[in-house]
């Protein structure tokens, strides 16, 4: 027995990691620690009588997961003081630990709230990871758990609940059901004896806290601002009844966009930088009903820019394609309206193009190519017009408000999106797009040459 270990430790189950040398000897490369009955029972599941331990790495991973969750158990009468930092350094290198356990170890080591670790915790927000954090929190409720470990798991779980609630408000598909799924899984683990009841207590407390984290708007200003927001939204819904709900042409769609631009401009004149930053952001998820991208989707970024929103594409569980518009309430409502309006416009204008001489002169696959080319041109024309309208509106807003409203909005949206812990990838074109020139030109003309002052019931 190692001379540093008291004879009182004789016969006690212990664990360590050994590295074989060419000489046939083995050297200890991990801390030596004691195992309780539960750890020993789990370790013995990897042992096969009369056969060598062929899955040593899996056994080691299981033991070190227990250490991370339940704390380090030193050998009795160990001479000298165990360097806990050494234990954490070693555990941080163990590949079999879960991402939440690795994060908790680094969380303890951080002196202050590290923004990078907070961002990582938000990025890990999911049903499985939140359940893991809750379970680890409950198992770390021991006298011999490392200092700060239980607090680390609690703080990570709190950030994840907050992030999931934020995603649900942002319209991220599936986020609204995630906390219910967590509650079901935690209850199941507790019923099977695989998780301590403290996990459910913490989850209930965090969920209740999230329910009371309401709007930023102070009560004194809420009524006036809410009334203005409702007024703008009612006007936008009135435009919907005249256009998107009954079908419309491209000219009517752009005329409606002009009306929306005027509404947003008048509403923006009521805002200052303080009121913008204390406003609540929300998102709306728009389903396309398709599993593949189409030319109309080229307008999504233009719509978002026109309405001072952010937009991202998402893949639904059923493989369907959708978009999420995220921003201030009035801006998001305007974006949803314009998106739906453009979808209807594409249907109307495409039907008109099918009766044109260009389309009728073609046959088979050439017709499909021509229709696709027309729609690409239509998207280009509509996007260009929206960009022109946006530039004109921003110029007048800057002169009237005295500050860059768009920059303030975008700064606030970027901050809010970072709190959602979402990871985005940028789509890049991998090949050139070939179009039928006459059809593309016809679509572009339909999207750009129009009379924007066409009245819509006003």
């Amino acid at each position: 027995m190692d001379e540093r270990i008291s004879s009182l430790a004789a016969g006690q189950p212990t664990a360590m990691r050994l590295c074989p040398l060419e000489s046939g000897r083995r050297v200890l490369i991990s801390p030596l620690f004691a195992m309780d009955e539960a750890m020993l029972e789990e370790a013995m599941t990897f042992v096969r009588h009369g056969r060598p331990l062929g899955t040593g790495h899996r056994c080691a991973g299981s033991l070190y997961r227990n250490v991370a969750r339940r704390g380090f158990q030193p050998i009795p009468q160990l001479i000298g003081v165990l360097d806990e930092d050494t234990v954490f350094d070693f555990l941080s290198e163990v590949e079999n630990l879960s991402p939440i356990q690795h994060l908790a170890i680094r969380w303890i080591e951080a002196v202050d709230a590290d923004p990078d670790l907070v961002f990582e915790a938000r990025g890990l927000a999911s049903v499985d990871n939140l359940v893991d954090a809750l379970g680890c929190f409950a198992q770390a409720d021991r006298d011999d758990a490392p200092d700060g470990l239980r607090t680390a798991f609690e703080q990570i779980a709190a950030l994840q609940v907050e992030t999931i609630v934020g995603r649900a408000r942002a319209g991220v598909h599936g986020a609204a059901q995630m906390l219910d799924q967590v509650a079901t899984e935690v209850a199941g683990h507790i019923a099977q004896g695989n998780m301590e009841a403290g996990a459910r207590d913490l989850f209930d407390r965090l969920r209740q806290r999230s329910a009371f984290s309401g709007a930023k708007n102070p009560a004194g200003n809420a009524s006036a601002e809410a009334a203005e927001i409702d007024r703008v939204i009612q006007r936008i819904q009135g435009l919907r009844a005249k256009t998107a709900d009954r079908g419309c042409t491209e000219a009517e769609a752009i005329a409606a966009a002009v009306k929306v631009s005027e509404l947003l401009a008048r509403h923006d004149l009521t805002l200052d930088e303080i009121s913008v930053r204390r406003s609540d952001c929300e998102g709306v998820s728009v389903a396309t009903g398709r599993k593949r991208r189409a030319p109309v989707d080229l307008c999504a970024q233009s719509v978002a820019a026109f309405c001072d929103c952010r937009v991202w594409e998402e893949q639904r569980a059923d493989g369907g394609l959708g978009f999420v518009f995220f921003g201030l309430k009035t801006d998001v409502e305007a974006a949803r309206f314009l998106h739906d309006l453009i979808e209807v416009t594409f249907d109307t204008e495409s039907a008109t193009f099918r009766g044109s001489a260009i389309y009728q002169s073609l046959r088979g696959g050439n017709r499909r190519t021509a229709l696709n080319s027309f729609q690409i041109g239509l998207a280009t024309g509509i996007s260009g017009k929206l960009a022109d309208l946006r530039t004109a509106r921003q110029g007048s807003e800057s002169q009237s408000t005295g500050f860059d409203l768009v920059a303030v909005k975008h700064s606030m949206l970027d901050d809010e999106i970072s709190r959602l812990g979402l990871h985005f990838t940028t789509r890049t074109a991998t090949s050139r797009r070939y179009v039928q020139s006459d059809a593309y030109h016809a679509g572009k003309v339909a999207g750009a040459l129009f009379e924007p002052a066409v009245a819509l019931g006003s």
Side-chain angles (χ1 to χ4, degrees), residues 328-365:
L328 301 185
K329 189 172 183 179
T330 52
D331 296 338
V332 167
E333 186 66 28
R336 173 165 56 180
F337 163 62
L338 286 180
H339 176 273
D340 294 348
L341 186 66
I342 291 172
E343 288 268 7
V344 174
T345 301
F346 262 68
D347 291 339
T348 303
E349 294 292 340
S350 295
T352 301
F353 176 73
R354 289 189 180 94
S356 68
I358 295 175
Y359 187 83
Q360 292 297 323
S361 67
L362 302 172
R363 293 292 181 270

mmCIF file of all heavy atoms in Angstrom, residues 328-365:
data_model
loop_
_atom_site.group_PDB
_atom_site.id
_atom_site.type_symbol
_atom_site.label_atom_id
_atom_site.label_comp_id
_atom_site.label_asym_id
_atom_site.label_seq_id
_atom_site.Cartn_x
_atom_site.Cartn_y
_atom_site.Cartn_z
ATOM 1 N N LEU A 328 -39.721 44.437 -32.448
ATOM 2 C CA LEU A 328 -40.765 45.092 -31.675
ATOM 3 C C LEU A 328 -42.130 44.634 -32.184
ATOM 4 O O LEU A 328 -42.278 44.220 -33.325
ATOM 5 C CB LEU A 328 -40.642 46.610 -31.782
ATOM 6 C CG LEU A 328 -39.318 47.232 -31.307
ATOM 7 C CD1 LEU A 328 -39.406 48.751 -31.355
ATOM 8 C CD2 LEU A 328 -38.969 46.774 -29.905
ATOM 9 N N LYS A 329 -43.142 44.745 -31.323
ATOM 10 C CA LYS A 329 -44.439 44.142 -31.622
ATOM 11 C C LYS A 329 -45.037 44.665 -32.924
ATOM 12 O O LYS A 329 -45.513 43.889 -33.765
ATOM 13 C CB LYS A 329 -45.398 44.394 -30.459
ATOM 14 C CG LYS A 329 -46.701 43.628 -30.562
ATOM 15 C CD LYS A 329 -47.523 43.776 -29.290
ATOM 16 C CE LYS A 329 -48.803 42.933 -29.377
ATOM 17 N NZ LYS A 329 -49.605 43.043 -28.127
ATOM 18 N N THR A 330 -45.044 45.981 -33.107
ATOM 19 C CA THR A 330 -45.616 46.537 -34.337
ATOM 20 C C THR A 330 -44.814 46.136 -35.558
ATOM 21 O O THR A 330 -45.379 45.840 -36.621
ATOM 22 C CB THR A 330 -45.687 48.069 -34.243
ATOM 23 O OG1 THR A 330 -44.388 48.578 -33.879
ATOM 24 C CG2 THR A 330 -46.709 48.513 -33.216
ATOM 25 N N ASP A 331 -43.491 46.118 -35.443
ATOM 26 C CA ASP A 331 -42.638 45.745 -36.570
ATOM 27 C C ASP A 331 -42.854 44.291 -36.974
ATOM 28 O O ASP A 331 -42.892 43.961 -38.170
ATOM 29 C CB ASP A 331 -41.163 45.973 -36.218
ATOM 30 C CG ASP A 331 -40.841 47.444 -35.969
ATOM 31 O OD1 ASP A 331 -41.604 48.301 -36.456
ATOM 32 O OD2 ASP A 331 -39.844 47.725 -35.282
ATOM 33 N N VAL A 332 -42.997 43.415 -35.984
ATOM 34 C CA VAL A 332 -43.214 41.996 -36.271
ATOM 35 C C VAL A 332 -44.572 41.777 -36.937
ATOM 36 O O VAL A 332 -44.697 40.997 -37.886
ATOM 37 C CB VAL A 332 -43.115 41.169 -34.969
ATOM 38 C CG1 VAL A 332 -43.632 39.759 -35.178
ATOM 39 C CG2 VAL A 332 -41.671 41.122 -34.494
ATOM 40 N N GLU A 333 -45.590 42.479 -36.448
ATOM 41 C CA GLU A 333 -46.924 42.339 -37.057
ATOM 42 C C GLU A 333 -46.898 42.815 -38.501
ATOM 43 O O GLU A 333 -47.516 42.206 -39.391
ATOM 44 C CB GLU A 333 -47.942 43.141 -36.247
ATOM 45 C CG GLU A 333 -49.378 42.956 -36.698
ATOM 46 C CD GLU A 333 -49.884 41.548 -36.480
ATOM 47 O OE1 GLU A 333 -49.387 40.871 -35.554
ATOM 48 O OE2 GLU A 333 -50.780 41.108 -37.245
ATOM 49 N N ALA A 334 -46.185 43.901 -38.758
ATOM 50 C CA ALA A 334 -46.059 44.402 -40.128
ATOM 51 C C ALA A 334 -45.310 43.404 -41.011
ATOM 52 O O ALA A 334 -45.678 43.178 -42.175
ATOM 53 C CB ALA A 334 -45.342 45.746 -40.127
ATOM 54 N N ALA A 335 -44.263 42.799 -40.465
ATOM 55 C CA ALA A 335 -43.485 41.823 -41.238
ATOM 56 C C ALA A 335 -44.329 40.600 -41.590
ATOM 57 O O ALA A 335 -44.268 40.092 -42.715
ATOM 58 C CB ALA A 335 -42.245 41.404 -40.448
ATOM 59 N N ARG A 336 -45.114 40.118 -40.635
ATOM 60 C CA ARG A 336 -45.965 38.960 -40.913
ATOM 61 C C ARG A 336 -46.986 39.301 -42.007
ATOM 62 O O ARG A 336 -47.233 38.499 -42.907
ATOM 63 C CB ARG A 336 -46.690 38.505 -39.647
ATOM 64 C CG ARG A 336 -47.713 37.405 -39.926
ATOM 65 C CD ARG A 336 -48.172 36.706 -38.681
ATOM 66 N NE ARG A 336 -48.721 37.602 -37.672
ATOM 67 C CZ ARG A 336 -49.176 37.159 -36.500
ATOM 68 N NH1 ARG A 336 -49.138 35.872 -36.199
ATOM 69 N NH2 ARG A 336 -49.662 38.018 -35.621
ATOM 70 N N PHE A 337 -47.566 40.482 -41.908
ATOM 71 C CA PHE A 337 -48.548 40.899 -42.917
ATOM 72 C C PHE A 337 -47.907 40.958 -44.307
ATOM 73 O O PHE A 337 -48.453 40.441 -45.281
ATOM 74 C CB PHE A 337 -49.130 42.260 -42.534
ATOM 75 C CG PHE A 337 -49.834 42.960 -43.657
ATOM 76 C CD1 PHE A 337 -50.957 42.402 -44.262
ATOM 77 C CD2 PHE A 337 -49.387 44.186 -44.120
ATOM 78 C CE1 PHE A 337 -51.602 43.049 -45.308
ATOM 79 C CE2 PHE A 337 -50.007 44.837 -45.154
ATOM 80 C CZ PHE A 337 -51.127 44.267 -45.758
ATOM 81 N N LEU A 338 -46.742 41.617 -44.412
ATOM 82 C CA LEU A 338 -46.105 41.748 -45.720
ATOM 83 C C LEU A 338 -45.669 40.391 -46.263
ATOM 84 O O LEU A 338 -45.767 40.140 -47.470
ATOM 85 C CB LEU A 338 -44.901 42.685 -45.615
ATOM 86 C CG LEU A 338 -45.231 44.172 -45.474
ATOM 87 C CD1 LEU A 338 -43.942 44.987 -45.391
ATOM 88 C CD2 LEU A 338 -46.074 44.653 -46.648
ATOM 89 N N HIS A 339 -45.182 39.511 -45.385
ATOM 90 C CA HIS A 339 -44.793 38.171 -45.843
ATOM 91 C C HIS A 339 -45.993 37.449 -46.443
ATOM 92 O O HIS A 339 -45.914 36.880 -47.549
ATOM 93 C CB HIS A 339 -44.223 37.349 -44.682
ATOM 94 C CG HIS A 339 -43.885 35.947 -45.051
ATOM 95 N ND1 HIS A 339 -44.822 34.922 -45.010
ATOM 96 C CD2 HIS A 339 -42.734 35.370 -45.492
ATOM 97 C CE1 HIS A 339 -44.270 33.800 -45.394
ATOM 98 N NE2 HIS A 339 -43.003 34.043 -45.684
ATOM 99 N N ASP A 340 -47.119 37.456 -45.731
ATOM 100 C CA ASP A 340 -48.320 36.789 -46.236
ATOM 101 C C ASP A 340 -48.827 37.463 -47.509
ATOM 102 O O ASP A 340 -49.291 36.793 -48.443
ATOM 103 C CB ASP A 340 -49.419 36.799 -45.174
ATOM 104 C CG ASP A 340 -49.060 35.963 -43.958
ATOM 105 O OD1 ASP A 340 -48.073 35.192 -44.037
ATOM 106 O OD2 ASP A 340 -49.746 36.073 -42.921
ATOM 107 N N LEU A 341 -48.723 38.788 -47.538
ATOM 108 C CA LEU A 341 -49.171 39.539 -48.702
ATOM 109 C C LEU A 341 -48.351 39.182 -49.941
ATOM 110 O O LEU A 341 -48.897 39.001 -51.033
ATOM 111 C CB LEU A 341 -49.064 41.038 -48.407
ATOM 112 C CG LEU A 341 -49.626 41.995 -49.454
ATOM 113 C CD1 LEU A 341 -51.136 41.844 -49.540
ATOM 114 C CD2 LEU A 341 -49.257 43.432 -49.093
ATOM 115 N N ILE A 342 -47.056 39.059 -49.767
ATOM 116 C CA ILE A 342 -46.192 38.715 -50.899
ATOM 117 C C ILE A 342 -46.463 37.286 -51.375
ATOM 118 O O ILE A 342 -46.438 37.001 -52.584
ATOM 119 C CB ILE A 342 -44.715 38.915 -50.511
ATOM 120 C CG1 ILE A 342 -44.426 40.413 -50.350
ATOM 121 C CG2 ILE A 342 -43.777 38.302 -51.547
ATOM 122 C CD1 ILE A 342 -43.056 40.730 -49.792
ATOM 123 N N GLU A 343 -46.742 36.383 -50.437
ATOM 124 C CA GLU A 343 -47.106 35.014 -50.829
ATOM 125 C C GLU A 343 -48.337 35.029 -51.730
ATOM 126 O O GLU A 343 -48.376 34.355 -52.771
ATOM 127 C CB GLU A 343 -47.384 34.172 -49.582
ATOM 128 C CG GLU A 343 -46.159 33.806 -48.759
ATOM 129 C CD GLU A 343 -45.566 32.466 -49.178
ATOM 130 O OE1 GLU A 343 -46.028 31.907 -50.191
ATOM 131 O OE2 GLU A 343 -44.639 31.992 -48.484
ATOM 132 N N VAL A 344 -49.367 35.787 -51.331
ATOM 133 C CA VAL A 344 -50.596 35.883 -52.132
ATOM 134 C C VAL A 344 -50.297 36.542 -53.474
ATOM 135 O O VAL A 344 -50.812 36.122 -54.527
ATOM 136 C CB VAL A 344 -51.671 36.668 -51.359
ATOM 137 C CG1 VAL A 344 -52.894 36.914 -52.232
ATOM 138 C CG2 VAL A 344 -52.077 35.925 -50.101
ATOM 139 N N THR A 345 -49.465 37.586 -53.460
ATOM 140 C CA THR A 345 -49.103 38.283 -54.686
ATOM 141 C C THR A 345 -48.409 37.347 -55.670
ATOM 142 O O THR A 345 -48.668 37.397 -56.887
ATOM 143 C CB THR A 345 -48.187 39.468 -54.362
ATOM 144 O OG1 THR A 345 -48.865 40.351 -53.461
ATOM 145 C CG2 THR A 345 -47.805 40.232 -55.610
ATOM 146 N N PHE A 346 -47.540 36.490 -55.162
ATOM 147 C CA PHE A 346 -46.858 35.528 -56.034
ATOM 148 C C PHE A 346 -47.873 34.605 -56.713
ATOM 149 O O PHE A 346 -47.742 34.293 -57.902
ATOM 150 C CB PHE A 346 -45.838 34.714 -55.238
ATOM 151 C CG PHE A 346 -44.439 35.233 -55.364
ATOM 152 C CD1 PHE A 346 -44.088 36.462 -54.820
ATOM 153 C CD2 PHE A 346 -43.466 34.514 -56.029
ATOM 154 C CE1 PHE A 346 -42.793 36.943 -54.932
ATOM 155 C CE2 PHE A 346 -42.169 34.988 -56.153
ATOM 156 C CZ PHE A 346 -41.829 36.216 -55.601
ATOM 157 N N ASP A 347 -48.861 34.170 -55.957
ATOM 158 C CA ASP A 347 -49.879 33.298 -56.556
ATOM 159 C C ASP A 347 -50.651 34.039 -57.651
ATOM 160 O O ASP A 347 -50.886 33.489 -58.745
ATOM 161 C CB ASP A 347 -50.863 32.815 -55.481
ATOM 162 C CG ASP A 347 -50.216 31.853 -54.497
ATOM 163 O OD1 ASP A 347 -49.173 31.264 -54.843
ATOM 164 O OD2 ASP A 347 -50.760 31.692 -53.383
ATOM 165 N N THR A 348 -51.029 35.299 -57.363
ATOM 166 C CA THR A 348 -51.813 36.077 -58.325
ATOM 167 C C THR A 348 -51.014 36.377 -59.579
ATOM 168 O O THR A 348 -51.484 36.167 -60.717
ATOM 169 C CB THR A 348 -52.279 37.396 -57.668
ATOM 170 O OG1 THR A 348 -53.027 37.099 -56.488
ATOM 171 C CG2 THR A 348 -53.132 38.200 -58.632
ATOM 172 N N GLU A 349 -49.792 36.876 -59.399
ATOM 173 C CA GLU A 349 -48.975 37.252 -60.549
ATOM 174 C C GLU A 349 -48.519 36.028 -61.349
ATOM 175 O O GLU A 349 -48.384 36.088 -62.579
ATOM 176 C CB GLU A 349 -47.762 38.064 -60.086
ATOM 177 C CG GLU A 349 -48.106 39.423 -59.488
ATOM 178 C CD GLU A 349 -48.672 40.390 -60.516
ATOM 179 O OE1 GLU A 349 -48.457 40.180 -61.728
ATOM 180 O OE2 GLU A 349 -49.342 41.358 -60.109
ATOM 181 N N SER A 350 -48.280 34.918 -60.672
ATOM 182 C CA SER A 350 -47.881 33.697 -61.384
ATOM 183 C C SER A 350 -49.028 33.188 -62.251
ATOM 184 O O SER A 350 -48.802 32.699 -63.380
ATOM 185 C CB SER A 350 -47.455 32.612 -60.394
ATOM 186 O OG SER A 350 -46.295 33.014 -59.692
ATOM 187 N N ALA A 351 -50.255 33.294 -61.729
ATOM 188 C CA ALA A 351 -51.412 32.885 -62.534
ATOM 189 C C ALA A 351 -51.548 33.763 -63.767
ATOM 190 O O ALA A 351 -51.867 33.277 -64.868
ATOM 191 C CB ALA A 351 -52.678 32.959 -61.678
ATOM 192 N N THR A 352 -51.287 35.056 -63.601
ATOM 193 C CA THR A 352 -51.335 35.974 -64.742
ATOM 194 C C THR A 352 -50.255 35.627 -65.758
ATOM 195 O O THR A 352 -50.488 35.628 -66.981
ATOM 196 C CB THR A 352 -51.159 37.422 -64.261
ATOM 197 O OG1 THR A 352 -52.193 37.747 -63.332
ATOM 198 C CG2 THR A 352 -51.202 38.393 -65.434
ATOM 199 N N PHE A 353 -49.053 35.298 -65.269
ATOM 200 C CA PHE A 353 -47.949 34.976 -66.179
ATOM 201 C C PHE A 353 -48.245 33.713 -66.990
ATOM 202 O O PHE A 353 -47.836 33.606 -68.150
ATOM 203 C CB PHE A 353 -46.650 34.797 -65.379
ATOM 204 C CG PHE A 353 -45.486 34.375 -66.219
ATOM 205 C CD1 PHE A 353 -44.871 35.262 -67.091
ATOM 206 C CD2 PHE A 353 -44.995 33.067 -66.155
ATOM 207 C CE1 PHE A 353 -43.798 34.859 -67.883
ATOM 208 C CE2 PHE A 353 -43.932 32.668 -66.926
ATOM 209 C CZ PHE A 353 -43.322 33.567 -67.803
ATOM 210 N N ARG A 354 -48.954 32.755 -66.387
ATOM 211 C CA ARG A 354 -49.279 31.527 -67.119
ATOM 212 C C ARG A 354 -50.148 31.799 -68.344
ATOM 213 O O ARG A 354 -50.201 30.983 -69.270
ATOM 214 C CB ARG A 354 -49.976 30.533 -66.192
ATOM 215 C CG ARG A 354 -49.074 29.911 -65.137
ATOM 216 C CD ARG A 354 -49.777 28.791 -64.398
ATOM 217 N NE ARG A 354 -48.940 28.181 -63.394
ATOM 218 C CZ ARG A 354 -48.919 28.536 -62.111
ATOM 219 N NH1 ARG A 354 -49.727 29.528 -61.688
ATOM 220 N NH2 ARG A 354 -48.128 27.935 -61.257
ATOM 221 N N GLY A 355 -50.831 32.929 -68.363
ATOM 222 C CA GLY A 355 -51.631 33.283 -69.536
ATOM 223 C C GLY A 355 -50.897 34.165 -70.520
ATOM 224 O O GLY A 355 -51.473 34.566 -71.531
ATOM 225 N N SER A 356 -49.630 34.466 -70.239
ATOM 226 C CA SER A 356 -48.875 35.366 -71.113
ATOM 227 C C SER A 356 -48.363 34.650 -72.353
ATOM 228 O O SER A 356 -48.302 33.417 -72.415
ATOM 229 C CB SER A 356 -47.691 35.958 -70.340
ATOM 230 O OG SER A 356 -46.735 34.945 -70.056
ATOM 231 N N ALA A 357 -47.964 35.435 -73.336
ATOM 232 C CA ALA A 357 -47.455 34.876 -74.594
ATOM 233 C C ALA A 357 -46.155 34.116 -74.368
ATOM 234 O O ALA A 357 -45.899 33.092 -75.012
ATOM 235 C CB ALA A 357 -47.249 36.002 -75.604
ATOM 236 N N ILE A 358 -45.332 34.617 -73.451
ATOM 237 C CA ILE A 358 -44.051 33.941 -73.175
ATOM 238 C C ILE A 358 -44.300 32.518 -72.693
ATOM 239 O O ILE A 358 -43.710 31.561 -73.201
ATOM 240 C CB ILE A 358 -43.248 34.724 -72.115
ATOM 241 C CG1 ILE A 358 -42.845 36.094 -72.650
ATOM 242 C CG2 ILE A 358 -42.007 33.930 -71.697
ATOM 243 C CD1 ILE A 358 -42.147 36.966 -71.604
ATOM 244 N N TYR A 359 -45.188 32.381 -71.719
ATOM 245 C CA TYR A 359 -45.456 31.060 -71.144
ATOM 246 C C TYR A 359 -46.165 30.159 -72.145
ATOM 247 O O TYR A 359 -45.829 28.971 -72.276
ATOM 248 C CB TYR A 359 -46.314 31.225 -69.887
ATOM 249 C CG TYR A 359 -46.521 29.955 -69.098
ATOM 250 C CD1 TYR A 359 -45.575 29.519 -68.186
ATOM 251 C CD2 TYR A 359 -47.674 29.183 -69.278
ATOM 252 C CE1 TYR A 359 -45.763 28.354 -67.448
ATOM 253 C CE2 TYR A 359 -47.873 28.014 -68.557
ATOM 254 C CZ TYR A 359 -46.920 27.612 -67.647
ATOM 255 O OH TYR A 359 -47.108 26.455 -66.934
ATOM 256 N N GLN A 360 -47.141 30.688 -72.873
ATOM 257 C CA GLN A 360 -47.925 29.867 -73.791
ATOM 258 C C GLN A 360 -47.109 29.373 -74.972
ATOM 259 O O GLN A 360 -47.451 28.358 -75.596
ATOM 260 C CB GLN A 360 -49.128 30.675 -74.308
ATOM 261 C CG GLN A 360 -50.165 30.980 -73.235
ATOM 262 C CD GLN A 360 -50.809 29.725 -72.682
ATOM 263 O OE1 GLN A 360 -51.049 28.761 -73.422
ATOM 264 N NE2 GLN A 360 -51.083 29.710 -71.372
ATOM 265 N N SER A 361 -46.013 30.076 -75.286
ATOM 266 C CA SER A 361 -45.181 29.656 -76.426
ATOM 267 C C SER A 361 -44.249 28.498 -76.080
ATOM 268 O O SER A 361 -43.577 27.965 -76.967
ATOM 269 C CB SER A 361 -44.357 30.842 -76.917
ATOM 270 O OG SER A 361 -43.398 31.230 -75.936
ATOM 271 N N LEU A 362 -44.192 28.121 -74.805
ATOM 272 C CA LEU A 362 -43.269 27.080 -74.353
ATOM 273 C C LEU A 362 -44.024 25.802 -74.036
ATOM 274 O O LEU A 362 -45.244 25.787 -73.906
ATOM 275 C CB LEU A 362 -42.501 27.567 -73.116
ATOM 276 C CG LEU A 362 -41.684 28.851 -73.302
ATOM 277 C CD1 LEU A 362 -41.147 29.332 -71.967
ATOM 278 C CD2 LEU A 362 -40.551 28.628 -74.304
ATOM 279 N N ARG A 363 -43.264 24.716 -73.874
ATOM 280 C CA ARG A 363 -43.850 23.419 -73.556
ATOM 281 C C ARG A 363 -43.004 22.707 -72.487
ATOM 282 O O ARG A 363 -41.792 22.927 -72.371
ATOM 283 C CB ARG A 363 -43.932 22.530 -74.809
ATOM 284 C CG ARG A 363 -44.910 23.014 -75.869
ATOM 285 C CD ARG A 363 -46.348 22.897 -75.350
ATOM 286 N NE ARG A 363 -47.314 23.327 -76.347
ATOM 287 C CZ ARG A 363 -47.747 24.580 -76.464
ATOM 288 N NH1 ARG A 363 -47.267 25.512 -75.652
ATOM 289 N NH2 ARG A 363 -48.623 24.896 -77.388
ATOM 290 N N GLY A 364 -43.661 21.816 -71.718
ATOM 291 C CA GLY A 364 -42.971 20.915 -70.788
ATOM 292 C C GLY A 364 -42.093 21.622 -69.783
ATOM 293 O O GLY A 364 -42.466 22.591 -69.117
ATOM 294 N N GLY A 365 -40.851 21.131 -69.678
ATOM 295 C CA GLY A 365 -39.903 21.649 -68.701
ATOM 296 C C GLY A 365 -39.556 23.100 -68.927
ATOM 297 O O GLY A 365 -39.203 23.805 -67.970
#
